[in-house]
Amino acid sequence: MTETRVGLIEFGKAIHDSVTVPGLGELPGGQVSAGRAVRGARARLRRGDRIVEDNLRLGIMVRKKYFSNEVEPVTEAGFLKDVYVAVGRRDLGNGDALELYTDDAVGPDLTRQEGAASVVAPGFDPLTGFFAQVHVREGVLRSGALAALSRGGQPMRVLALAGPHEEWPRGQAGTVLLGFQCDVPPLPGDVLTAFPSPESVEQRAGTAVVHGVSDLGNGSVVAAVEVPEGRAATFTVGVSVRVLRPIGTTFNERHTVVAAGLPVLSLARGGVAVRSSAGSRVFTVGLGTRDLRQNDVLEAYVPGVPMPLAPLAPLAPPPAPPVTLVDVNSAPGESLATLPGLTPPRVATALELRRRQGGFPDVEAFGVAIGLQPHEIVRLRGRATAGRVALPETGVRQLDI
């Protein structure tokens, strides 16, 4: 496997801890402290000296507009820029970091299904990307779950479920947010399959920069290394090490993982063999490789052990989903009032406009006419329809799309 670290977002360093996105809520803010952040990138969550989750996706990324409280979508952000993101976890906080990377690995295990939902009505928003009205037909669908569409594409994360609940049982209908991570945009009739995410925790012991290498001639080297100023690292004999090789410029520096799983064969401080480098910034490391260069970075770690997944019960056959749509061109006021966002004044406005103009060509036009905001119109999808109407001006009959 070849992995390239393309960027790092550290939370707690942005000017604002979070921003509010209409229809979505608060997004946590961080600063790009290395490389670049690119929308859609894979990410792993680093919390202190642990990697607590892998295979996250940078599904939404926005920035605050200059001299304004509004936000705008961005496809990438460079060194020292503040960004606000959604990756499939709601617990990002100060001190956390997202390590952005690319690799040629097959990807996460998608052999065990946790749930499946039918896509009823997909949509797209310029700020938050793709979303879809779905109906859960098997198992459960959770916020943050690994998911894949039946027509292919890379695995992604369910960034959010509309409403107060973090998971939906079989039979539940609602809107899921997928953001900009979709290689294959959702279409009606697609199946969104969710998979369990086993927790695998990797313990990091710190990094050290190589300043000199002595080849021992037997397939191994001794490297003089230094822990970066302001960082802490404790290497021990036997711990695993990755070799990260820097590429790119100062403002777009990336690191390629050229080796992993190398055990530390020996340690020394001041020419004296030791079992641990604790308390020292400068020491020497013995490794069983000859591919080591000046300025390489050694990353010491203890691999995580995946937690076993509990067996899942067989999924029941999908039920026929009952769908009762409110026709905005014929429903009485009491029925219109059951739709999300339809306050009594808006119901009155809808009835008056319908009386004057004969109806609405589609649900979106209905929402705009009565003053709904875009995120409120999205909530009508899957709940409302617009039947045929005769337009007063021409008599042409129009069918709801």
Coordinates of all heavy atoms in Angstrom, one line a residue, residues 215-254:
D215 N 24.7 3.5 7.2 CA 24.4 2.2 6.7 C 25.3 1.1 7.3 O 26.5 1.2 7.2 CB 24.6 2.2 5.2 CG 23.9 0.9 4.5 OD1 23.8 -0.1 5.2 OD2 23.5 1.0 3.3
L216 N 24.7 0.1 8.0 CA 25.5 -0.9 8.7 C 25.9 -2.0 7.7 O 26.7 -2.9 8.2 CB 24.7 -1.5 9.8 CG 24.3 -0.5 10.9 CD1 23.5 -1.2 12.0 CD2 25.5 0.3 11.5
G217 N 25.5 -2.0 6.5 CA 25.9 -3.0 5.5 C 25.2 -4.3 5.6 O 25.5 -5.2 4.9
N218 N 24.3 -4.5 6.5 CA 23.6 -5.8 6.7 C 22.1 -5.7 6.5 O 21.3 -6.4 7.0 CB 23.9 -6.4 8.1 CG 23.4 -5.4 9.2 OD1 23.0 -4.3 8.9 ND2 23.6 -5.8 10.4
G219 N 21.7 -4.6 5.7 CA 20.3 -4.4 5.5 C 19.6 -3.5 6.5 O 18.4 -3.4 6.5
S220 N 20.4 -3.0 7.4 CA 19.9 -2.1 8.4 C 20.7 -0.8 8.5 O 21.8 -0.7 8.0 CB 19.8 -2.8 9.8 OG 21.1 -3.2 10.2
V221 N 20.1 0.2 9.2 CA 20.8 1.5 9.3 C 20.6 2.0 10.8 O 19.8 1.5 11.5 CB 20.2 2.6 8.4 CG1 20.4 2.2 6.9 CG2 18.7 2.8 8.7
V222 N 21.5 2.9 11.1 CA 21.3 3.7 12.4 C 21.1 5.1 12.0 O 21.9 5.7 11.2 CB 22.6 3.5 13.3 CG1 22.5 4.5 14.5 CG2 22.7 2.1 13.8
A223 N 20.1 5.7 12.5 CA 19.7 7.1 12.1 C 19.8 8.0 13.3 O 19.3 7.7 14.4 CB 18.3 7.1 11.5
A224 N 20.4 9.2 13.1 CA 20.4 10.2 14.1 C 19.1 11.0 13.9 O 18.9 11.5 12.8 CB 21.6 11.1 14.0
V225 N 18.3 11.2 14.9 CA 17.0 11.8 14.8 C 16.8 12.9 15.9 O 17.5 12.9 16.9 CB 15.8 10.8 14.9 CG1 16.0 9.7 13.8 CG2 15.8 10.1 16.2
E226 N 15.8 13.8 15.6 CA 15.5 14.8 16.6 C 14.0 15.0 16.6 O 13.4 15.1 15.5 CB 16.2 16.1 16.2 CG 15.9 17.3 17.2 CD 16.7 18.6 16.8 OE1 17.4 18.6 15.8 OE2 16.6 19.5 17.6
V227 N 13.4 15.1 17.7 CA 12.0 15.4 17.9 C 11.8 16.9 17.7 O 12.5 17.7 18.2 CB 11.5 15.0 19.3 CG1 10.1 15.3 19.5 CG2 11.8 13.5 19.6
P228 N 10.8 17.2 16.8 CA 10.5 18.7 16.5 C 10.3 19.5 17.8 O 9.7 19.0 18.8 CB 9.3 18.6 15.6 CG 9.3 17.3 15.0 CD 9.9 16.4 16.1
E229 N 10.7 20.7 17.8 CA 10.5 21.6 18.9 C 9.0 21.7 19.3 O 8.2 21.9 18.4 CB 11.1 23.0 18.6 CG 11.1 24.0 19.8 CD 12.2 23.6 20.8 OE1 13.3 23.2 20.3 OE2 11.9 23.7 22.0
G230 N 8.7 21.6 20.5 CA 7.3 21.8 21.0 C 6.5 20.5 20.9 O 5.3 20.5 21.3
R231 N 7.1 19.4 20.4 CA 6.4 18.1 20.3 C 7.0 17.2 21.4 O 8.1 17.4 21.9 CB 6.6 17.5 18.9 CG 6.1 18.4 17.8 CD 4.6 18.5 17.8 NE 4.1 19.3 16.7 CZ 3.8 18.9 15.5 NH1 4.0 17.6 15.2 NH2 3.3 19.7 14.6
A232 N 6.2 16.1 21.6 CA 6.6 15.1 22.6 C 6.7 13.8 21.8 O 5.8 13.5 21.0 CB 5.7 15.0 23.8
A233 N 7.7 12.9 22.1 CA 7.8 11.6 21.4 C 8.5 10.7 22.4 O 9.5 11.1 23.0 CB 8.4 11.7 20.1
T234 N 8.1 9.5 22.4 CA 8.8 8.4 23.2 C 8.9 7.2 22.4 O 7.9 6.5 22.2 CB 8.0 8.1 24.5 OG1 7.9 9.3 25.3 CG2 8.8 7.1 25.3
F235 N 10.1 6.9 21.8 CA 10.3 5.7 21.0 C 10.8 4.6 22.0 O 11.6 5.0 23.0 CB 11.4 6.0 20.0 CG 10.9 6.7 18.8 CD1 10.4 8.0 18.9 CD2 11.1 6.2 17.5 CE1 9.9 8.7 17.8 CE2 10.6 6.9 16.4 CZ 10.1 8.1 16.5
T236 N 10.4 3.4 21.8 CA 10.9 2.3 22.6 C 11.4 1.2 21.7 O 10.9 1.1 20.5 CB 9.8 1.7 23.5 OG1 8.7 1.4 22.7 CG2 9.3 2.8 24.5
V237 N 12.3 0.4 22.2 CA 12.8 -0.8 21.4 C 11.6 -1.7 21.1 O 10.9 -2.1 22.1 CB 13.9 -1.5 22.1 CG1 14.3 -2.8 21.4 CG2 15.1 -0.6 22.3
G238 N 11.4 -2.1 19.9 CA 10.3 -3.0 19.5 C 9.1 -2.3 19.0 O 8.2 -3.0 18.3
V239 N 8.9 -1.0 19.2 CA 7.7 -0.3 18.7 C 7.8 -0.2 17.2 O 8.9 -0.2 16.6 CB 7.6 1.1 19.3 CG1 8.7 2.1 18.7 CG2 6.2 1.7 19.1
S240 N 6.7 -0.2 16.5 CA 6.6 -0.1 15.0 C 6.8 1.4 14.6 O 6.5 2.3 15.3 CB 5.3 -0.6 14.5 OG 5.1 -1.9 14.8
V241 N 7.4 1.5 13.4 CA 7.7 2.8 12.9 C 7.3 2.9 11.4 O 7.5 1.9 10.7 CB 9.3 3.1 13.0 CG1 9.7 4.3 12.1 CG2 9.6 3.4 14.4
R242 N 6.8 4.0 11.0 CA 6.5 4.4 9.6 C 7.6 5.3 9.2 O 8.0 6.2 9.9 CB 5.2 5.0 9.4 CG 4.0 4.1 9.6 CD 2.7 4.8 9.1 NE 1.5 4.0 9.5 CZ 0.8 4.2 10.6 NH1 1.1 5.1 11.4 NH2 -0.2 3.4 10.8
V243 N 8.0 5.3 7.9 CA 8.9 6.2 7.3 C 8.1 7.1 6.4 O 7.5 6.6 5.4 CB 10.1 5.6 6.6 CG1 11.0 6.6 6.0 CG2 10.8 4.6 7.5
L244 N 8.0 8.4 6.7 CA 7.3 9.4 5.9 C 8.3 10.3 5.2 O 9.2 10.9 5.8 CB 6.4 10.3 6.8 CG 5.1 9.7 7.3 CD1 5.3 8.5 8.2 CD2 4.2 10.8 7.9
R245 N 8.2 10.3 3.8 CA 9.1 11.1 3.0 C 8.4 12.4 2.5 O 7.4 12.3 1.8 CB 9.6 10.3 1.9 CG 10.7 10.9 1.0 CD 11.5 9.9 0.4 NE 12.3 9.1 1.4 CZ 12.7 7.8 1.1 NH1 12.5 7.3 -0.1 NH2 13.4 7.2 2.1
P246 N 8.9 13.6 2.9 CA 8.3 14.8 2.5 C 8.4 15.1 1.0 O 9.5 14.8 0.4 CB 9.0 15.9 3.3 CG 10.3 15.3 3.6 CD 10.1 13.8 3.7
I247 N 7.4 15.6 0.4 CA 7.3 16.0 -1.0 C 6.6 17.3 -1.1 O 5.8 17.7 -0.2 CB 6.7 15.0 -1.9 CG1 5.3 14.6 -1.4 CG2 7.5 13.7 -2.1 CD1 4.5 13.7 -2.3
G248 N 6.8 18.1 -2.2 CA 6.1 19.3 -2.4 C 6.9 20.5 -1.8 O 8.0 20.4 -1.4
T249 N 6.2 21.6 -1.7 CA 6.8 22.9 -1.2 C 6.4 23.1 0.2 O 5.6 22.4 0.8 CB 6.3 24.1 -2.1 OG1 4.9 24.2 -1.9 CG2 6.6 23.8 -3.6
T250 N 6.9 24.2 0.8 CA 6.6 24.5 2.2 C 5.1 24.7 2.4 O 4.6 24.3 3.4 CB 7.4 25.8 2.6 OG1 8.8 25.5 2.4 CG2 7.1 26.1 4.0
F251 N 4.5 25.4 1.4 CA 3.1 25.7 1.6 C 2.1 24.6 1.1 O 0.9 24.7 1.2 CB 2.7 27.0 0.8 CG 3.4 28.2 1.4 CD1 4.6 28.8 0.8 CD2 3.0 28.7 2.6 CE1 5.2 29.8 1.4 CE2 3.7 29.8 3.2 CZ 4.8 30.4 2.6
N252 N 2.7 23.6 0.5 CA 1.9 22.4 0.0 C 2.6 21.1 0.3 O 2.7 20.2 -0.6 CB 1.5 22.6 -1.4 CG 0.4 21.6 -1.9 OD1 -0.3 21.0 -1.1 ND2 0.4 21.3 -3.2
E253 N 3.2 21.0 1.5 CA 4.0 19.9 1.8 C 3.2 18.7 2.0 O 2.2 18.7 2.8 CB 5.0 20.1 3.0 CG 5.9 19.0 3.2 CD 6.9 19.3 4.3 OE1 6.5 19.6 5.4 OE2 8.1 19.4 4.0
R254 N 3.5 17.5 1.4 CA 2.9 16.3 1.6 C 3.9 15.3 2.1 O 5.1 15.5 2.0 CB 2.2 15.8 0.4 CG 1.0 16.7 -0.1 CD 0.6 16.5 -1.5 NE 1.7 16.9 -2.4 CZ 1.7 16.4 -3.7 NH1 0.9 15.5 -4.1 NH2 2.7 16.8 -4.5

